[in-house]
Amino acid sequence: MYLTQHTDYGLRVLIYAAINDDSLVNIGTIAEAYNISKSHLMKVVTALVKGGFLTSIRGKGGGLRLADTPDKINVGAVVRHLEPMQIVECMGENNECLITPSCRLAGILGGAIKAFFAHLDGFTLQDLLNKPTYDLLYEPRIEIFVEKMSNKSA
């Protein structure tokens, strides 16, 4: 079993936003930091905003930020939102498998998925943050202060 690239990128976006929580972040900067497709990231960010994990601020000076603090964003909830988790055909809506009525596979795999999410539910975004990751991803906010010139002569 593996998570889709969509979910992988979603978790990376949240980590980036959490580390750079002192300012708004944007898709271009995140894509550049991870060297991933900006267009694919736009779809991921849209899903994270719809799921309530990110907040999007439009307009000049806009960007993205976490919708809640990292200790309140549950990893299991993020993965549930982004990942379809249809491991086999019989777990989906378009099931046409001949043996479904007598097969026990869906129940066994369903139990594995339940255990998988029970483990992920024990972690928050805060648990994914550490100093080495911070050092790699933090983009210091640069503020420009313009000092007004005085007309007084010395």
Side-chain angles (χ1 to χ4, degrees), residues 42-117:
M42 289 170 69
K43 295 173 191 167
V44 172
V45 165
T46 298
L48 289 170
V49 169
K50 284 182 180 177
F53 302 105
L54 282 179
T55 300
S56 175
I57 292 96
R58 296 189 174 269
K60 186 178 180 182
L64 303 163
R65 74 168 65 130
L66 293 178
D68 211 338
T69 57
D71 63 315
K72 299 257 191 320
I73 297 176
N74 183 272
V75 174
V78 173
V79 174
R80 268 187 199 88
H81 178 71
L82 297 176
E83 196 64 38
M85 295 310 289
Q86 179 185 330
I87 297 176
V88 291
E89 179 184 336
C90 60
M91 296 177 97
E93 293 177 14
N94 299 322
N95 179 22
E96 295 183 12
C97 180
L98 174 68
I99 64 171
T100 297
S102 62
C103 184
R104 297 173 58 200
L105 182 60
I108 292 168
L109 292 176
I113 291 170
K114 187 175 179 180
F116 174 72
F117 280 117

Side-chain angles (χ1 to χ4, degrees), residues 26-29 31-32 35-44:
N26 65 62
I27 293 170
T29 306
E32 187 177 308
N35 194 29
I36 56 180
S37 165
K38 185 177 173 182
S39 62
H40 189 88
L41 212 52
M42 289 170 69
K43 295 173 191 167
V44 172

